[in-house]
Coordinates of all heavy atoms in Angstrom, one line a residue:
N1 N -9.5 -20.1 -8.6 CA -8.9 -18.7 -9.1 C -9.9 -18.1 -10.0 O -10.4 -18.8 -11.0 CB -7.5 -18.9 -9.8 CG -6.5 -19.5 -8.9 OD1 -5.9 -18.9 -8.1 ND2 -6.3 -20.9 -8.9
Y2 N -10.1 -16.8 -9.8 CA -11.1 -16.1 -10.6 C -10.6 -14.7 -10.9 O -10.1 -14.0 -10.1 CB -12.5 -16.1 -10.0 CG -13.5 -15.5 -10.8 CD1 -14.2 -16.2 -11.8 CD2 -13.9 -14.2 -10.6 CE1 -15.2 -15.6 -12.6 CE2 -14.9 -13.5 -11.5 CZ -15.6 -14.3 -12.5 OH -16.5 -13.8 -13.2
S3 N -10.9 -14.3 -12.2 CA -10.7 -12.9 -12.6 C -11.8 -12.3 -13.4 O -12.5 -13.1 -14.2 CB -9.4 -12.7 -13.4 OG -9.5 -13.5 -14.6
F4 N -12.1 -11.1 -13.2 CA -13.1 -10.5 -14.0 C -12.6 -10.4 -15.6 O -11.3 -10.0 -15.6 CB -13.5 -9.2 -13.5 CG -14.1 -9.3 -12.1 CD1 -13.4 -8.8 -11.0 CD2 -15.4 -9.8 -12.0 CE1 -14.0 -8.9 -9.7 CE2 -16.0 -9.9 -10.7 CZ -15.3 -9.4 -9.6
S5 N -13.3 -10.4 -16.5 CA -12.9 -10.2 -17.8 C -12.4 -8.8 -18.1 O -12.7 -7.8 -17.4 CB -14.1 -10.5 -18.9 OG -15.0 -9.4 -18.7
D6 N -11.4 -8.7 -19.1 CA -10.9 -7.4 -19.4 C -12.0 -6.5 -19.9 O -11.9 -5.3 -19.7 CB -9.9 -7.6 -20.5 CG -8.5 -8.3 -20.0 OD1 -8.3 -8.2 -18.8 OD2 -7.9 -8.9 -20.9
E7 N -13.0 -7.0 -20.7 CA -14.1 -6.2 -21.0 C -14.8 -5.6 -20.0 O -15.2 -4.3 -20.0 CB -15.1 -7.0 -22.0 CG -14.5 -7.5 -23.3 CD -13.8 -8.8 -23.1 OE1 -13.4 -9.4 -22.0 OE2 -13.4 -9.4 -24.2
L8 N -15.2 -6.4 -18.9 CA -15.8 -5.8 -17.7 C -15.0 -4.8 -17.0 O -15.4 -3.7 -16.7 CB -16.1 -7.0 -16.8 CG -16.9 -6.5 -15.4 CD1 -18.0 -5.6 -15.6 CD2 -17.1 -7.8 -14.6
L9 N -13.7 -5.0 -16.8 CA -12.8 -4.2 -16.1 C -12.7 -2.8 -16.9 O -12.7 -1.7 -16.3 CB -11.4 -4.8 -15.8 CG -11.5 -6.0 -14.8 CD1 -10.2 -6.7 -14.8 CD2 -11.7 -5.3 -13.4
Q10 N -12.5 -2.9 -18.2 CA -12.4 -1.8 -19.0 C -13.6 -0.9 -19.0 O -13.6 0.3 -18.9 CB -12.0 -2.2 -20.5 CG -10.6 -2.6 -20.7 CD -9.6 -1.5 -20.6 OE1 -9.9 -0.3 -20.5 NE2 -8.3 -1.9 -20.6
A11 N -14.8 -1.5 -19.0 CA -16.1 -0.8 -19.0 C -16.2 -0.2 -17.6 O -16.6 1.0 -17.5 CB -17.2 -1.8 -19.2
G12 N -15.8 -0.9 -16.5 CA -15.9 -0.3 -15.3 C -15.0 0.9 -15.1 O -15.2 2.0 -14.5
F13 N -13.7 0.7 -15.7 CA -12.8 1.8 -15.6 C -13.3 3.1 -16.4 O -13.2 4.2 -15.9 CB -11.5 1.4 -16.2 CG -10.5 2.4 -16.3 CD1 -10.0 3.1 -15.3 CD2 -9.9 2.8 -17.6 CE1 -8.9 4.1 -15.4 CE2 -9.0 3.7 -17.9 CZ -8.5 4.5 -16.8
Q14 N -13.9 2.9 -17.5 CA -14.2 4.0 -18.3 C -15.4 4.8 -17.7 O -15.6 5.9 -17.9 CB -14.8 3.4 -19.8 CG -13.7 2.8 -20.6 CD -12.6 3.9 -21.0 OE1 -12.8 5.1 -21.1 NE2 -11.3 3.4 -21.1
S15 N -16.2 4.1 -16.8 CA -17.3 4.7 -16.2 C -16.9 5.2 -14.8 O -17.8 5.7 -14.1 CB -18.5 3.8 -16.2 OG -18.3 2.7 -15.3
S16 N -15.6 5.1 -14.5 CA -15.2 5.5 -13.1 C -14.5 6.8 -13.2 O -14.3 7.4 -14.2 CB -14.2 4.5 -12.5 OG -13.0 4.5 -13.1
A17 N -14.1 7.3 -12.0 CA -13.4 8.6 -11.9 C -12.0 8.5 -11.9 O -11.1 9.4 -11.8 CB -13.9 9.4 -10.7
E18 N -11.4 7.1 -12.0 CA -10.0 6.9 -12.0 C -9.4 7.3 -13.4 O -10.0 7.2 -14.4 CB -9.8 5.3 -11.8 CG -10.2 4.8 -10.4 CD -9.2 5.1 -9.4 OE1 -8.2 5.8 -9.7 OE2 -9.5 4.8 -8.2
S19 N -8.1 7.7 -13.2 CA -7.3 8.1 -14.4 C -6.3 7.1 -14.8 O -5.7 7.1 -15.8 CB -6.7 9.4 -14.2 OG -5.8 9.4 -13.0
D20 N -6.0 6.0 -14.0 CA -5.0 5.0 -14.2 C -5.6 3.7 -14.0 O -6.2 3.2 -13.0 CB -3.9 5.2 -13.0 CG -2.7 4.2 -13.3 OD1 -3.0 3.0 -13.3 OD2 -1.6 4.7 -13.4
Y21 N -5.7 2.9 -15.2 CA -6.3 1.6 -15.2 C -5.8 0.6 -14.3 O -6.4 -0.1 -13.5 CB -6.2 1.0 -16.6 CG -6.8 -0.4 -16.8 CD1 -8.2 -0.5 -16.6 CD2 -6.1 -1.4 -17.1 CE1 -8.8 -1.8 -16.8 CE2 -6.6 -2.7 -17.2 CZ -8.0 -2.9 -17.1 OH -8.6 -4.1 -17.2
R22 N -4.4 0.6 -14.1 CA -3.7 -0.3 -13.2 C -4.1 -0.1 -11.8 O -4.5 -1.0 -11.0 CB -2.2 -0.2 -13.3 CG -1.4 -0.6 -12.1 CD -1.3 -2.0 -11.9 NE -0.6 -2.4 -10.7 CZ 0.7 -2.4 -10.5 NH1 1.5 -2.2 -11.5 NH2 1.2 -2.8 -9.4
I23 N -4.2 1.1 -11.3 CA -4.7 1.4 -10.0 C -6.1 1.0 -9.8 O -6.6 0.5 -8.8 CB -4.4 2.9 -9.6 CG1 -3.0 3.3 -9.6 CG2 -5.2 3.2 -8.3 CD1 -2.7 4.7 -9.3
Y24 N -7.0 1.3 -10.9 CA -8.5 1.0 -10.8 C -8.5 -0.5 -10.6 O -9.4 -1.0 -9.8 CB -9.2 1.5 -12.0 CG -10.5 0.8 -12.2 CD1 -11.6 1.4 -11.5 CD2 -10.8 -0.3 -13.0 CE1 -12.8 0.9 -11.6 CE2 -12.1 -0.9 -13.1 CZ -13.0 -0.3 -12.4 OH -14.3 -0.7 -12.4
K25 N -7.8 -1.3 -11.4 CA -8.0 -2.8 -11.3 C -7.6 -3.3 -10.0 O -8.2 -4.1 -9.4 CB -7.0 -3.4 -12.4 CG -7.2 -4.9 -12.6 CD -6.3 -5.3 -13.7 CE -6.4 -7.0 -13.8 NZ -5.4 -7.4 -15.0
D26 N -6.4 -2.8 -9.4 CA -6.0 -3.1 -8.1 C -7.1 -2.9 -7.1 O -7.3 -3.7 -6.1 CB -4.7 -2.5 -7.7 CG -3.5 -3.0 -8.5 OD1 -3.6 -4.0 -9.1 OD2 -2.5 -2.2 -8.5
R27 N -7.7 -1.7 -7.2 CA -8.8 -1.5 -6.2 C -10.0 -2.2 -6.3 O -10.6 -2.6 -5.4 CB -9.1 0.1 -6.3 CG -8.0 1.1 -5.8 CD -8.4 2.5 -6.0 NE -7.3 3.4 -5.4 CZ -7.3 4.7 -5.5 NH1 -8.3 5.2 -6.2 NH2 -6.4 5.4 -4.9
V28 N -10.2 -2.7 -7.6 CA -11.3 -3.6 -7.7 C -11.2 -5.0 -6.8 O -12.0 -5.3 -6.1 CB -11.5 -4.0 -9.2 CG1 -12.4 -5.3 -9.3 CG2 -12.2 -2.8 -10.0
Y29 N -9.9 -5.4 -7.0 CA -9.7 -6.6 -6.3 C -9.4 -6.4 -4.8 O -9.7 -7.4 -4.0 CB -8.5 -7.4 -7.0 CG -8.8 -8.0 -8.3 CD1 -8.4 -7.4 -9.4 CD2 -9.6 -9.1 -8.4 CE1 -8.7 -8.0 -10.7 CE2 -10.0 -9.7 -9.6 CZ -9.5 -9.1 -10.8 OH -9.9 -9.7 -11.9
L30 N -9.0 -5.3 -4.4 CA -8.8 -5.0 -3.0 C -10.2 -4.9 -2.4 O -10.4 -5.5 -1.2 CB -8.0 -3.7 -2.9 CG -6.5 -3.8 -3.0 CD1 -6.0 -2.4 -3.2 CD2 -5.9 -4.6 -1.9
K31 N -11.1 -4.4 -3.0 CA -12.5 -4.3 -2.6 C -13.1 -5.7 -2.5 O -13.7 -6.1 -1.4 CB -13.4 -3.5 -3.5 CG -14.8 -3.5 -3.1 CD -15.8 -2.8 -4.1 CE -17.3 -3.0 -3.6 NZ -18.2 -2.4 -4.5
L32 N -12.9 -6.5 -3.4 CA -13.4 -7.9 -3.4 C -12.8 -8.7 -2.3 O -13.5 -9.4 -1.7 CB -13.0 -8.6 -4.8 CG -13.5 -10.0 -5.0 CD1 -15.1 -10.1 -4.9 CD2 -13.2 -10.5 -6.4
A33 N -11.5 -8.5 -2.1 CA -10.8 -9.2 -1.0 C -11.3 -8.8 0.3 O -11.6 -9.6 1.2 CB -9.3 -9.0 -1.0
S34 N -11.6 -7.5 0.4 CA -12.2 -7.0 1.7 C -13.7 -7.5 2.0 O -13.9 -8.0 3.0 CB -12.3 -5.5 1.7 OG -12.8 -5.0 2.9
N35 N -14.5 -7.6 0.9 CA -15.8 -8.1 1.1 C -15.8 -9.6 1.3 O -16.6 -10.2 2.0 CB -16.6 -7.7 -0.2 CG -17.0 -6.2 -0.2 OD1 -16.7 -5.5 0.8 ND2 -17.9 -5.8 -1.1
L36 N -14.8 -10.3 0.7 CA -14.7 -11.8 0.9 C -14.3 -12.0 2.4 O -14.7 -13.1 2.8 CB -13.7 -12.3 -0.1 CG -14.4 -12.8 -1.5 CD1 -13.2 -13.2 -2.4 CD2 -15.3 -14.0 -1.3
A37 N -13.5 -11.2 2.9 CA -13.1 -11.3 4.3 C -14.3 -11.4 5.2 O -14.4 -12.0 6.2 CB -12.1 -10.3 4.7
A38 N -15.4 -10.6 4.7 CA -16.7 -10.5 5.5 C -17.7 -11.6 5.2 O -18.5 -12.0 6.0 CB -17.3 -9.1 5.3
Y39 N -17.6 -12.1 3.8 CA -18.6 -13.0 3.4 C -18.1 -14.3 2.9 O -18.8 -15.2 2.6 CB -19.4 -12.4 2.3 CG -20.4 -11.3 2.8 CD1 -20.1 -10.0 2.6 CD2 -21.6 -11.7 3.2 CE1 -20.9 -9.0 3.0 CE2 -22.5 -10.6 3.7 CZ -22.2 -9.3 3.5 OH -23.0 -8.3 3.9
G40 N -16.7 -14.5 2.7 CA -16.1 -15.7 2.1 C -16.4 -17.0 2.9 O -16.3 -18.1 2.3

């Protein structure tokens, strides 16, 4: 089980175009899951 640190997620959120942190975080992991389906 792995999670990115809050510091990384917050830094990523601040530099993104997202306005909702919860939605941003969910999208981070959805992208990761999609890419893992291809490379896992």
Side-chain angles (χ1 to χ4, degrees):
N1 297 275
Y2 185 79
S3 63
F4 298 109
S5 70
D6 289 337
E7 293 87 350
L8 174 58
L9 291 168
Q10 286 288 352
F13 173 62
Q14 295 298 329
S15 63
S16 75
E18 292 284 356
S19 59
D20 186 299
Y21 177 67
R22 155 74 188 275
I23 293 176
Y24 169 80
K25 184 178 177 182
D26 288 344
R27 286 181 176 172
V28 163
Y29 286 108
L30 285 164
K31 174 188 174 180
L32 182 58
S34 178
N35 284 4
L36 271 170
Y39 287 98

